[in-house]
Amino acid sequence: MVHAFTIQPETYTTFEDETEQLEQCKEWGLLSEKAAKTKTFYYKNNGMNLSCDIVGLVDKMTAVIEFDNKQLHCIHPSYLKEMQAANYSQRLTAATDETTGTDAAESETVAPAAVESIADDSAPAELEAEQAKAPKTKQPKEKAAKKEKAPKLELPEDKVKMIATVQEFTTVPNNFSDNDDEVIIYEAVSITEPAMEIGTAWSSHSNTLKKLELEVGDTVTFECKIVAKKLSKHPVPYKINNPAKMQKVTAE
């Protein structure tokens, strides 16, 4: 049976092993810190109660689940967590009755797009409206010229070995949580194999990275996938996904 509601990920990162899957589920709050193994989760909507497995992530705020028919679906971890409650179906029905023309299914579908707005440095709607009303100048041509001078890098799709220096620890807003997301900004970022200079990049400051007790100025090597994704409110164009085998480089 094909599920018509699914939001297929264009690209996503699969978990290398159960340990990485377990760590990420704990970070999302889907498993307790004491959990020693993962479990089967359930997708509940429109009378459905489908078992599913968490197989990867698009980013730290978009999980990828797989149903029994092997279809993939993007979902915000907070929605999936709510669906595990025994009374979720009753609460969903009550919420649908109180709204007009909008139900939980639509909210969930919008979630991944809304999540992207956290990491995208896009202008508010009011600012866009003002810019549309403003007189046209030569500014668009100037912007086009700047883009020609700084073409986007052709990033490798597979995991690569990298080296970078910790520049800053900071936070960015998370519209789906009471707490901001902790991130690390790196400078002097480059791929070692094949050699390629990246410049600046960022990654989530996960519980795994916190165990390394990194400090500003530390140079580290690691393996990861790197993608073009801006950090909210910061001029950092690239994101480091799931850095693994991270080691500090000691000065000789």
Side-chain angles (χ1 to χ4, degrees):
M1 177 181 177
V2 176
H3 304 309
F5 62 84
T6 56
I7 304 170
Q8 299 286 333
E10 292 183 4
T11 59
Y12 75 102
T13 303
T14 57
F15 297 123
E16 288 188 349
D17 49 38
E18 188 174 353
T19 300
E20 185 178 357
Q21 180 190 39
L22 192 66
E23 185 71 26
Q24 185 59 63
C25 287
K26 288 180 180 179
E27 187 174 326
W28 281 332
L30 291 167
L31 294 173
S32 69
E33 288 296 328
K34 296 181 180 180
K37 60 181 181 179
T38 188
K39 65 178 184 180
T40 300
F41 294 90
Y42 292 91
Y43 178 90
K44 304 173 185 178
N45 211 350
N46 292 335
M48 295 181 293
N49 188 2
L50 306 173
S51 62
C52 60
D53 294 315
I54 302 175
V55 295
L57 70 165
V58 176
D59 51 43
K60 289 293 183 180
M61 291 166 284
T62 310
V64 177
I65 58 177
E66 183 181 66
F67 298 106
D68 291 341
N69 66 353
K70 302 303 180 182
Q71 271 188 275
L72 301 178
H73 178 53
C74 294
I75 186 170
H76 193 281
S78 296
Y79 283 109
L80 187 60
K81 183 178 179 180
E82 290 180 12
M83 289 179 180
Q84 306 318 301
N87 64 340
Y88 177 79
S89 297
Q90 289 87 341
R91 289 191 286 114
L92 181 63
T93 302
T96 304
D97 292 341
E98 292 175 2
T99 58
T100 55
T102 302
D103 59 17
E106 293 177 357
S107 299
E108 182 214 325
T109 302
V110 174
V115 169
E116 290 298 328
S117 66
I118 298 172
D120 290 339
D121 196 17
S122 52
E126 294 84 353
L127 180 58
E128 291 180 357
E130 291 178 5
Q131 291 175 340
K133 295 178 182 178
K136 292 184 178 180
T137 64
K138 294 182 179 180
Q139 188 175 2
K141 292 183 179 180
E142 293 173 359
K143 286 185 177 180
K146 289 181 180 179
K147 287 183 179 180
E148 291 176 3
K149 292 179 181 179
K152 288 186 177 180
L153 296 175
E154 292 292 332
L155 299 174
E157 296 183 359
D158 298 326
K159 276 194 170 185
V160 291
K161 294 182 179 180
M162 302 191 68
I163 187 169
T165 300
V166 177
Q167 175 181 301
E168 179 184 353
F169 297 93
T170 188
T171 59
V172 292
N174 183 341
N175 294 340
F176 294 90
S177 173
D178 295 333
N179 301 319
D180 291 345
D181 290 328
E182 298 179 59
V183 299
I184 304 176
I185 298 176
Y186 305 86
E187 61 184 353
V189 181
S190 62
I191 300 173
T192 57
E193 297 179 16
M196 178 188 295
E197 292 188 6
I198 302 298
T200 57
W202 66 281
S203 75
S204 298
H205 194 188
S206 65
N207 292 333
T208 301
L209 293 187
K210 288 178 181 177
K211 293 177 182 177
L212 295 175
E213 298 181 347
L214 296 175
E215 297 180 357
V216 172
D218 282 346
T219 298
V220 289
T221 60
F222 50 91
E223 295 180 5
C224 72
K225 285 187 178 181
I226 184 163
V227 297
K229 186 171 184 180
K230 280 187 177 181
L231 177 62
S232 176
K233 302 183 184 300
H234 296 271
V236 184
Y238 302 105
K239 182 186 177 187
I240 294 167
N241 277 340
N242 296 334
K245 301 180 182 179
M246 181 171 281
Q247 295 182 335
K248 294 182 183 179
V249 177
T250 56
E252 296 182 357

mmCIF file with all atom_site columns, all heavy atoms in Angstrom, residues 59 61-62 76 79 106-120 122 173-176 229:
data_model
loop_
_atom_site.group_PDB
_atom_site.id
_atom_site.type_symbol
_atom_site.label_atom_id
_atom_site.label_alt_id
_atom_site.label_comp_id
_atom_site.label_asym_id
_atom_site.label_entity_id
_atom_site.label_seq_id
_atom_site.pdbx_PDB_ins_code
_atom_site.Cartn_x
_atom_site.Cartn_y
_atom_site.Cartn_z
_atom_site.occupancy
_atom_site.B_iso_or_equiv
_atom_site.pdbx_formal_charge
_atom_site.auth_seq_id
_atom_site.auth_comp_id
_atom_site.auth_asym_id
_atom_site.auth_atom_id
_atom_site.pdbx_PDB_model_num
ATOM 1   N N   . ASP A 1 59  ? 18.265 17.310 8.624  1.00 0.00 ? 59  ASP A N   1
ATOM 2   C CA  . ASP A 1 59  ? 19.085 18.144 9.489  1.00 0.00 ? 59  ASP A CA  1
ATOM 3   C C   . ASP A 1 59  ? 18.639 17.879 10.917 1.00 0.00 ? 59  ASP A C   1
ATOM 4   O O   . ASP A 1 59  ? 17.829 16.983 11.161 1.00 0.00 ? 59  ASP A O   1
ATOM 5   C CB  . ASP A 1 59  ? 18.939 19.635 9.116  1.00 0.00 ? 59  ASP A CB  1
ATOM 6   C CG  . ASP A 1 59  ? 17.487 20.086 9.032  1.00 0.00 ? 59  ASP A CG  1
ATOM 7   O OD1 . ASP A 1 59  ? 16.702 19.702 9.921  1.00 0.00 ? 59  ASP A OD1 1
ATOM 8   O OD2 . ASP A 1 59  ? 17.133 20.804 8.088  1.00 0.00 ? 59  ASP A OD2 1
ATOM 9   N N   . MET A 1 61  ? 16.632 19.228 12.747 1.00 0.00 ? 61  MET A N   1
ATOM 10  C CA  . MET A 1 61  ? 15.236 19.506 13.051 1.00 0.00 ? 61  MET A CA  1
ATOM 11  C C   . MET A 1 61  ? 14.279 18.797 12.109 1.00 0.00 ? 61  MET A C   1
ATOM 12  O O   . MET A 1 61  ? 13.085 19.077 12.090 1.00 0.00 ? 61  MET A O   1
ATOM 13  C CB  . MET A 1 61  ? 14.986 21.019 13.031 1.00 0.00 ? 61  MET A CB  1
ATOM 14  C CG  . MET A 1 61  ? 15.674 21.737 14.183 1.00 0.00 ? 61  MET A CG  1
ATOM 15  S SD  . MET A 1 61  ? 15.737 23.525 13.982 1.00 0.00 ? 61  MET A SD  1
ATOM 16  C CE  . MET A 1 61  ? 17.048 23.697 12.765 1.00 0.00 ? 61  MET A CE  1
ATOM 17  N N   . THR A 1 62  ? 14.774 17.877 11.299 1.00 0.00 ? 62  THR A N   1
ATOM 18  C CA  . THR A 1 62  ? 13.928 17.120 10.385 1.00 0.00 ? 62  THR A CA  1
ATOM 19  C C   . THR A 1 62  ? 14.370 15.664 10.369 1.00 0.00 ? 62  THR A C   1
ATOM 20  O O   . THR A 1 62  ? 15.432 15.338 9.839  1.00 0.00 ? 62  THR A O   1
ATOM 21  C CB  . THR A 1 62  ? 13.988 17.680 8.950  1.00 0.00 ? 62  THR A CB  1
ATOM 22  O OG1 . THR A 1 62  ? 13.778 19.091 8.980  1.00 0.00 ? 62  THR A OG1 1
ATOM 23  C CG2 . THR A 1 62  ? 12.937 17.027 8.078  1.00 0.00 ? 62  THR A CG2 1
ATOM 24  N N   . HIS A 1 76  ? 9.048  16.544 11.690 1.00 0.00 ? 76  HIS A N   1
ATOM 25  C CA  . HIS A 1 76  ? 9.759  17.194 12.782 1.00 0.00 ? 76  HIS A CA  1
ATOM 26  C C   . HIS A 1 76  ? 9.743  16.261 13.992 1.00 0.00 ? 76  HIS A C   1
ATOM 27  O O   . HIS A 1 76  ? 8.708  15.671 14.318 1.00 0.00 ? 76  HIS A O   1
ATOM 28  C CB  . HIS A 1 76  ? 9.087  18.522 13.140 1.00 0.00 ? 76  HIS A CB  1
ATOM 29  C CG  . HIS A 1 76  ? 9.921  19.391 14.022 1.00 0.00 ? 76  HIS A CG  1
ATOM 30  N ND1 . HIS A 1 76  ? 10.028 19.177 15.370 1.00 0.00 ? 76  HIS A ND1 1
ATOM 31  C CD2 . HIS A 1 76  ? 10.720 20.455 13.740 1.00 0.00 ? 76  HIS A CD2 1
ATOM 32  C CE1 . HIS A 1 76  ? 10.832 20.081 15.899 1.00 0.00 ? 76  HIS A CE1 1
ATOM 33  N NE2 . HIS A 1 76  ? 11.272 20.866 14.928 1.00 0.00 ? 76  HIS A NE2 1
ATOM 34  N N   . TYR A 1 79  ? 6.787  16.470 16.457 1.00 0.00 ? 79  TYR A N   1
ATOM 35  C CA  . TYR A 1 79  ? 5.516  15.875 16.044 1.00 0.00 ? 79  TYR A CA  1
ATOM 36  C C   . TYR A 1 79  ? 5.534  14.369 16.291 1.00 0.00 ? 79  TYR A C   1
ATOM 37  O O   . TYR A 1 79  ? 4.561  13.785 16.772 1.00 0.00 ? 79  TYR A O   1
ATOM 38  C CB  . TYR A 1 79  ? 5.243  16.146 14.558 1.00 0.00 ? 79  TYR A CB  1
ATOM 39  C CG  . TYR A 1 79  ? 4.771  17.544 14.280 1.00 0.00 ? 79  TYR A CG  1
ATOM 40  C CD1 . TYR A 1 79  ? 5.596  18.459 13.628 1.00 0.00 ? 79  TYR A CD1 1
ATOM 41  C CD2 . TYR A 1 79  ? 3.501  17.964 14.655 1.00 0.00 ? 79  TYR A CD2 1
ATOM 42  C CE1 . TYR A 1 79  ? 5.176  19.746 13.373 1.00 0.00 ? 79  TYR A CE1 1
ATOM 43  C CE2 . TYR A 1 79  ? 3.074  19.254 14.400 1.00 0.00 ? 79  TYR A CE2 1
ATOM 44  C CZ  . TYR A 1 79  ? 3.915  20.139 13.766 1.00 0.00 ? 79  TYR A CZ  1
ATOM 45  O OH  . TYR A 1 79  ? 3.503  21.410 13.509 1.00 0.00 ? 79  TYR A OH  1
ATOM 46  N N   . GLU A 1 106 ? -2.135 18.956 7.938  1.00 0.00 ? 106 GLU A N   1
ATOM 47  C CA  . GLU A 1 106 ? -1.584 20.092 7.234  1.00 0.00 ? 106 GLU A CA  1
ATOM 48  C C   . GLU A 1 106 ? -0.459 20.721 8.027  1.00 0.00 ? 106 GLU A C   1
ATOM 49  O O   . GLU A 1 106 ? 0.554  21.136 7.479  1.00 0.00 ? 106 GLU A O   1
ATOM 50  C CB  . GLU A 1 106 ? -2.683 21.128 6.977  1.00 0.00 ? 106 GLU A CB  1
ATOM 51  C CG  . GLU A 1 106 ? -3.742 20.632 5.986  1.00 0.00 ? 106 GLU A CG  1
ATOM 52  C CD  . GLU A 1 106 ? -4.854 21.651 5.806  1.00 0.00 ? 106 GLU A CD  1
ATOM 53  O OE1 . GLU A 1 106 ? -4.802 22.677 6.478  1.00 0.00 ? 106 GLU A OE1 1
ATOM 54  O OE2 . GLU A 1 106 ? -5.760 21.399 5.015  1.00 0.00 ? 106 GLU A OE2 1
ATOM 55  N N   . SER A 1 107 ? -0.624 20.794 9.355  1.00 0.00 ? 107 SER A N   1
ATOM 56  C CA  . SER A 1 107 ? 0.410  21.378 10.203 1.00 0.00 ? 107 SER A CA  1
ATOM 57  C C   . SER A 1 107 ? 1.701  20.596 10.085 1.00 0.00 ? 107 SER A C   1
ATOM 58  O O   . SER A 1 107 ? 2.784  21.162 10.013 1.00 0.00 ? 107 SER A O   1
ATOM 59  C CB  . SER A 1 107 ? -0.052 21.393 11.666 1.00 0.00 ? 107 SER A CB  1
ATOM 60  O OG  . SER A 1 107 ? -1.209 22.156 11.814 1.00 0.00 ? 107 SER A OG  1
ATOM 61  N N   . GLU A 1 108 ? 1.578  19.285 10.069 1.00 0.00 ? 108 GLU A N   1
ATOM 62  C CA  . GLU A 1 108 ? 2.780  18.457 9.987  1.00 0.00 ? 108 GLU A CA  1
ATOM 63  C C   . GLU A 1 108 ? 3.471  18.640 8.650  1.00 0.00 ? 108 GLU A C   1
ATOM 64  O O   . GLU A 1 108 ? 4.684  18.696 8.556  1.00 0.00 ? 108 GLU A O   1
ATOM 65  C CB  . GLU A 1 108 ? 2.410  16.995 10.187 1.00 0.00 ? 108 GLU A CB  1
ATOM 66  C CG  . GLU A 1 108 ? 3.624  16.089 10.157 1.00 0.00 ? 108 GLU A CG  1
ATOM 67  C CD  . GLU A 1 108 ? 3.294  14.754 9.548  1.00 0.00 ? 108 GLU A CD  1
ATOM 68  O OE1 . GLU A 1 108 ? 2.179  14.267 9.738  1.00 0.00 ? 108 GLU A OE1 1
ATOM 69  O OE2 . GLU A 1 108 ? 4.169  14.221 8.861  1.00 0.00 ? 108 GLU A OE2 1
ATOM 70  N N   . THR A 1 109 ? 2.656  18.760 7.563  1.00 0.00 ? 109 THR A N   1
ATOM 71  C CA  . THR A 1 109 ? 3.230  18.908 6.243  1.00 0.00 ? 109 THR A CA  1
ATOM 72  C C   . THR A 1 109 ? 4.019  20.198 6.148  1.00 0.00 ? 109 THR A C   1
ATOM 73  O O   . THR A 1 109 ? 5.049  20.266 5.498  1.00 0.00 ? 109 THR A O   1
ATOM 74  C CB  . THR A 1 109 ? 2.114  18.915 5.169  1.00 0.00 ? 109 THR A CB  1
ATOM 75  O OG1 . THR A 1 109 ? 1.383  17.698 5.290  1.00 0.00 ? 109 THR A OG1 1
ATOM 76  C CG2 . THR A 1 109 ? 2.697  19.039 3.780  1.00 0.00 ? 109 THR A CG2 1
ATOM 77  N N   . VAL A 1 110 ? 3.539  21.258 6.816  1.00 0.00 ? 110 VAL A N   1
ATOM 78  C CA  . VAL A 1 110 ? 4.215  22.544 6.771  1.00 0.00 ? 110 VAL A CA  1
ATOM 79  C C   . VAL A 1 110 ? 5.475  22.524 7.603  1.00 0.00 ? 110 VAL A C   1
ATOM 80  O O   . VAL A 1 110 ? 6.409  23.270 7.354  1.00 0.00 ? 110 VAL A O   1
ATOM 81  C CB  . VAL A 1 110 ? 3.256  23.652 7.280  1.00 0.00 ? 110 VAL A CB  1
ATOM 82  C CG1 . VAL A 1 110 ? 3.980  24.991 7.380  1.00 0.00 ? 110 VAL A CG1 1
ATOM 83  C CG2 . VAL A 1 110 ? 2.069  23.783 6.331  1.00 0.00 ? 110 VAL A CG2 1
ATOM 84  N N   . ALA A 1 111 ? 5.549  21.650 8.604  1.00 0.00 ? 111 ALA A N   1
ATOM 85  C CA  . ALA A 1 111 ? 6.631  21.686 9.578  1.00 0.00 ? 111 ALA A CA  1
ATOM 86  C C   . ALA A 1 111 ? 8.021  21.693 8.960  1.00 0.00 ? 111 ALA A C   1
ATOM 87  O O   . ALA A 1 111 ? 8.834  22.529 9.300  1.00 0.00 ? 111 ALA A O   1
ATOM 88  C CB  . ALA A 1 111 ? 6.501  20.521 10.562 1.00 0.00 ? 111 ALA A CB  1
ATOM 89  N N   . PRO A 1 112 ? 8.358  20.749 8.021  1.00 0.00 ? 112 PRO A N   1
ATOM 90  C CA  . PRO A 1 112 ? 9.713  20.759 7.485  1.00 0.00 ? 112 PRO A CA  1
ATOM 91  C C   . PRO A 1 112 ? 10.060 22.067 6.804  1.00 0.00 ? 112 PRO A C   1
ATOM 92  O O   . PRO A 1 112 ? 11.185 22.542 6.917  1.00 0.00 ? 112 PRO A O   1
ATOM 93  C CB  . PRO A 1 112 ? 9.700  19.590 6.492  1.00 0.00 ? 112 PRO A CB  1
ATOM 94  C CG  . PRO A 1 112 ? 8.618  18.694 6.988  1.00 0.00 ? 112 PRO A CG  1
ATOM 95  C CD  . PRO A 1 112 ? 7.578  19.613 7.535  1.00 0.00 ? 112 PRO A CD  1
ATOM 96  N N   . ALA A 1 113 ? 9.093  22.663 6.077  1.00 0.00 ? 113 ALA A N   1
ATOM 97  C CA  . ALA A 1 113 ? 9.361  23.934 5.424  1.00 0.00 ? 113 ALA A CA  1
ATOM 98  C C   . ALA A 1 113 ? 9.592  25.022 6.453  1.00 0.00 ? 113 ALA A C   1
ATOM 99  O O   . ALA A 1 113 ? 10.441 25.892 6.290  1.00 0.00 ? 113 ALA A O   1
ATOM 100 C CB  . ALA A 1 113 ? 8.184  24.312 4.502  1.00 0.00 ? 113 ALA A CB  1
ATOM 101 N N   . ALA A 1 114 ? 8.797  24.991 7.539  1.00 0.00 ? 114 ALA A N   1
ATOM 102 C CA  . ALA A 1 114 ? 8.962  25.981 8.585  1.00 0.00 ? 114 ALA A CA  1
ATOM 103 C C   . ALA A 1 114 ? 10.302 25.833 9.266  1.00 0.00 ? 114 ALA A C   1
ATOM 104 O O   . ALA A 1 114 ? 10.952 26.810 9.619  1.00 0.00 ? 114 ALA A O   1
ATOM 105 C CB  . ALA A 1 114 ? 7.832  25.845 9.612  1.00 0.00 ? 114 ALA A CB  1
ATOM 106 N N   . VAL A 1 115 ? 10.736 24.603 9.427  1.00 0.00 ? 115 VAL A N   1
ATOM 107 C CA  . VAL A 1 115 ? 12.020 24.352 10.077 1.00 0.00 ? 115 VAL A CA  1
ATOM 108 C C   . VAL A 1 115 ? 13.144 24.963 9.275  1.00 0.00 ? 115 VAL A C   1
ATOM 109 O O   . VAL A 1 115 ? 14.091 25.518 9.821  1.00 0.00 ? 115 VAL A O   1
ATOM 110 C CB  . VAL A 1 115 ? 12.240 22.831 10.231 1.00 0.00 ? 115 VAL A CB  1
ATOM 111 C CG1 . VAL A 1 115 ? 13.674 22.546 10.643 1.00 0.00 ? 115 VAL A CG1 1
ATOM 112 C CG2 . VAL A 1 115 ? 11.295 22.274 11.282 1.00 0.00 ? 115 VAL A CG2 1
ATOM 113 N N   . GLU A 1 116 ? 13.053 24.869 7.949  1.00 0.00 ? 116 GLU A N   1
ATOM 114 C CA  . GLU A 1 116 ? 14.111 25.397 7.115  1.00 0.00 ? 116 GLU A CA  1
ATOM 115 C C   . GLU A 1 116 ? 14.302 26.886 7.350  1.00 0.00 ? 116 GLU A C   1
ATOM 116 O O   . GLU A 1 116 ? 15.394 27.419 7.201  1.00 0.00 ? 116 GLU A O   1
ATOM 117 C CB  . GLU A 1 116 ? 13.800 25.149 5.628  1.00 0.00 ? 116 GLU A CB  1
ATOM 118 C CG  . GLU A 1 116 ? 13.888 23.690 5.226  1.00 0.00 ? 116 GLU A CG  1
ATOM 119 C CD  . GLU A 1 116 ? 15.284 23.137 5.419  1.00 0.00 ? 116 GLU A CD  1
ATOM 120 O OE1 . GLU A 1 116 ? 16.248 23.902 5.260  1.00 0.00 ? 116 GLU A OE1 1
ATOM 121 O OE2 . GLU A 1 116 ? 15.401 21.951 5.745  1.00 0.00 ? 116 GLU A OE2 1
ATOM 122 N N   . SER A 1 117 ? 13.194 27.613 7.694  1.00 0.00 ? 117 SER A N   1
ATOM 123 C CA  . SER A 1 117 ? 13.293 29.043 7.886  1.00 0.00 ? 117 SER A CA  1
ATOM 124 C C   . SER A 1 117 ? 14.194 29.387 9.052  1.00 0.00 ? 117 SER A C   1
ATOM 125 O O   . SER A 1 117 ? 14.728 30.480 9.143  1.00 0.00 ? 117 SER A O   1
ATOM 126 C CB  . SER A 1 117 ? 11.902 29.650 8.105  1.00 0.00 ? 117 SER A CB  1
ATOM 127 O OG  . SER A 1 117 ? 11.360 29.187 9.327  1.00 0.00 ? 117 SER A OG  1
ATOM 128 N N   . ILE A 1 118 ? 14.422 28.434 9.987  1.00 0.00 ? 118 ILE A N   1
ATOM 129 C CA  . ILE A 1 118 ? 15.297 28.682 11.125 1.00 0.00 ? 118 ILE A CA  1
ATOM 130 C C   . ILE A 1 118 ? 16.726 28.825 10.658 1.00 0.00 ? 118 ILE A C   1
ATOM 131 O O   . ILE A 1 118 ? 17.489 29.663 11.147 1.00 0.00 ? 118 ILE A O   1
ATOM 132 C CB  . ILE A 1 118 ? 15.183 27.529 12.142 1.00 0.00 ? 118 ILE A CB  1
ATOM 133 C CG1 . ILE A 1 118 ? 13.753 27.451 12.664 1.00 0.00 ? 118 ILE A CG1 1
ATOM 134 C CG2 . ILE A 1 118 ? 16.130 27.739 13.302 1.00 0.00 ? 118 ILE A CG2 1
ATOM 135 C CD1 . ILE A 1 118 ? 13.501 26.245 13.514 1.00 0.00 ? 118 ILE A CD1 1
ATOM 136 N N   . ALA A 1 119 ? 17.126 27.979 9.695  1.00 0.00 ? 119 ALA A N   1
ATOM 137 C CA  . ALA A 1 119 ? 18.503 27.994 9.246  1.00 0.00 ? 119 ALA A CA  1
ATOM 138 C C   . ALA A 1 119 ? 18.733 28.938 8.075  1.00 0.00 ? 119 ALA A C   1
ATOM 139 O O   . ALA A 1 119 ? 19.865 29.239 7.742  1.00 0.00 ? 119 ALA A O   1
ATOM 140 C CB  . ALA A 1 119 ? 18.930 26.584 8.848  1.00 0.00 ? 119 ALA A CB  1
ATOM 141 N N   . ASP A 1 120 ? 17.638 29.396 7.384  1.00 0.00 ? 120 ASP A N   1
ATOM 142 C CA  . ASP A 1 120 ? 17.778 30.288 6.239  1.00 0.00 ? 120 ASP A CA  1
ATOM 143 C C   . ASP A 1 120 ? 17.763 31.733 6.699  1.00 0.00 ? 120 ASP A C   1
ATOM 144 O O   . ASP A 1 120 ? 16.936 32.120 7.516  1.00 0.00 ? 120 ASP A O   1
ATOM 145 C CB  . ASP A 1 120 ? 16.639 30.072 5.227  1.00 0.00 ? 120 ASP A CB  1
ATOM 146 C CG  . ASP A 1 120 ? 16.791 28.735 4.537  1.00 0.00 ? 120 ASP A CG  1
ATOM 147 O OD1 . ASP A 1 120 ? 17.901 28.190 4.534  1.00 0.00 ? 120 ASP A OD1 1
ATOM 148 O OD2 . ASP A 1 120 ? 15.777 28.254 4.006  1.00 0.00 ? 120 ASP A OD2 1
ATOM 149 N N   . SER A 1 122 ? 16.547 34.433 5.521  1.00 0.00 ? 122 SER A N   1
ATOM 150 C CA  . SER A 1 122 ? 15.637 35.117 4.615  1.00 0.00 ? 122 SER A CA  1
ATOM 151 C C   . SER A 1 122 ? 15.005 36.311 5.302  1.00 0.00 ? 122 SER A C   1
ATOM 152 O O   . SER A 1 122 ? 14.837 36.346 6.516  1.00 0.00 ? 122 SER A O   1
ATOM 153 C CB  . SER A 1 122 ? 14.553 34.154 4.127  1.00 0.00 ? 122 SER A CB  1
ATOM 154 O OG  . SER A 1 122 ? 13.939 33.538 5.211  1.00 0.00 ? 122 SER A OG  1
ATOM 155 N N   . PRO A 1 173 ? 17.697 30.594 17.150 1.00 0.00 ? 173 PRO A N   1
ATOM 156 C CA  . PRO A 1 173 ? 16.327 30.325 17.594 1.00 0.00 ? 173 PRO A CA  1
ATOM 157 C C   . PRO A 1 173 ? 15.781 29.026 17.025 1.00 0.00 ? 173 PRO A C   1
ATOM 158 O O   . PRO A 1 173 ? 16.090 28.646 15.904 1.00 0.00 ? 173 PRO A O   1
ATOM 159 C CB  . PRO A 1 173 ? 15.542 31.535 17.048 1.00 0.00 ? 173 PRO A CB  1
ATOM 160 C CG  . PRO A 1 173 ? 16.570 32.588 16.787 1.00 0.00 ? 173 PRO A CG  1
ATOM 161 C CD  . PRO A 1 173 ? 17.810 31.854 16.398 1.00 0.00 ? 173 PRO A CD  1
ATOM 162 N N   . ASN A 1 174 ? 14.957 28.345 17.817 1.00 0.00 ? 174 ASN A N   1
ATOM 163 C CA  . ASN A 1 174 ? 14.232 27.147 17.386 1.00 0.00 ? 174 ASN A CA  1
ATOM 164 C C   . ASN A 1 174 ? 12.754 27.401 17.637 1.00 0.00 ? 174 ASN A C   1
ATOM 165 O O   . ASN A 1 174 ? 12.316 27.455 18.784 1.00 0.00 ? 174 ASN A O   1
ATOM 166 C CB  . ASN A 1 174 ? 14.712 25.918 18.163 1.00 0.00 ? 174 ASN A CB  1
ATOM 167 C CG  . ASN A 1 174 ? 14.050 24.640 17.694 1.00 0.00 ? 174 ASN A CG  1
ATOM 168 O OD1 . ASN A 1 174 ? 12.993 24.661 17.050 1.00 0.00 ? 174 ASN A OD1 1
ATOM 169 N ND2 . ASN A 1 174 ? 14.641 23.511 18.015 1.00 0.00 ? 174 ASN A ND2 1
ATOM 170 N N   . ASN A 1 175 ? 11.995 27.599 16.565 1.00 0.00 ? 175 ASN A N   1
ATOM 171 C CA  . ASN A 1 175 ? 10.574 27.934 16.696 1.00 0.00 ? 175 ASN A CA  1
ATOM 172 C C   . ASN A 1 175 ? 9.739  26.813 17.280 1.00 0.00 ? 175 ASN A C   1
ATOM 173 O O   . ASN A 1 175 ? 8.585  27.012 17.645 1.00 0.00 ? 175 ASN A O   1
ATOM 174 C CB  . ASN A 1 175 ? 10.002 28.327 15.323 1.00 0.00 ? 175 ASN A CB  1
ATOM 175 C CG  . ASN A 1 175 ? 10.610 29.614 14.809 1.00 0.00 ? 175 ASN A CG  1
ATOM 176 O OD1 . ASN A 1 175 ? 11.156 30.411 15.571 1.00 0.00 ? 175 ASN A OD1 1
ATOM 177 N ND2 . ASN A 1 175 ? 10.549 29.823 13.513 1.00 0.00 ? 175 ASN A ND2 1
ATOM 178 N N   . PHE A 1 176 ? 10.303 25.610 17.346 1.00 0.00 ? 176 PHE A N   1
ATOM 179 C CA  . PHE A 1 176 ? 9.547  24.464 17.822 1.00 0.00 ? 176 PHE A CA  1
ATOM 180 C C   . PHE A 1 176 ? 9.976  24.030 19.220 1.00 0.00 ? 176 PHE A C   1
ATOM 181 O O   . PHE A 1 176 ? 9.618  22.966 19.686 1.00 0.00 ? 176 PHE A O   1
ATOM 182 C CB  . PHE A 1 176 ? 9.698  23.287 16.853 1.00 0.00 ? 176 PHE A CB  1
ATOM 183 C CG  . PHE A 1 176 ? 9.077  23.561 15.516 1.00 0.00 ? 176 PHE A CG  1
ATOM 184 C CD1 . PHE A 1 176 ? 9.823  24.130 14.506 1.00 0.00 ? 176 PHE A CD1 1
ATOM 185 C CD2 . PHE A 1 176 ? 7.750  23.259 15.281 1.00 0.00 ? 176 PHE A CD2 1
ATOM 186 C CE1 . PHE A 1 176 ? 9.258  24.396 13.267 1.00 0.00 ? 176 PHE A CE1 1
ATOM 187 C CE2 . PHE A 1 176 ? 7.174  23.515 14.048 1.00 0.00 ? 176 PHE A CE2 1
ATOM 188 C CZ  . PHE A 1 176 ? 7.925  24.085 13.040 1.00 0.00 ? 176 PHE A CZ  1
ATOM 189 N N   . LYS A 1 229 ? 24.183 25.324 3.399  1.00 0.00 ? 229 LYS A N   1
ATOM 190 C CA  . LYS A 1 229 ? 23.036 25.702 4.220  1.00 0.00 ? 229 LYS A CA  1
ATOM 191 C C   . LYS A 1 229 ? 23.441 26.799 5.182  1.00 0.00 ? 229 LYS A C   1
ATOM 192 O O   . LYS A 1 229 ? 24.318 26.623 6.023  1.00 0.00 ? 229 LYS A O   1
ATOM 193 C CB  . LYS A 1 229 ? 22.505 24.490 4.994  1.00 0.00 ? 229 LYS A CB  1
ATOM 194 C CG  . LYS A 1 229 ? 21.227 24.785 5.752  1.00 0.00 ? 229 LYS A CG  1
ATOM 195 C CD  . LYS A 1 229 ? 20.644 23.519 6.311  1.00 0.00 ? 229 LYS A CD  1
ATOM 196 C CE  . LYS A 1 229 ? 19.316 23.816 6.990  1.00 0.00 ? 229 LYS A CE  1
ATOM 197 N NZ  . LYS A 1 229 ? 18.698 22.599 7.548  1.00 0.00 ? 229 LYS A NZ  1
#
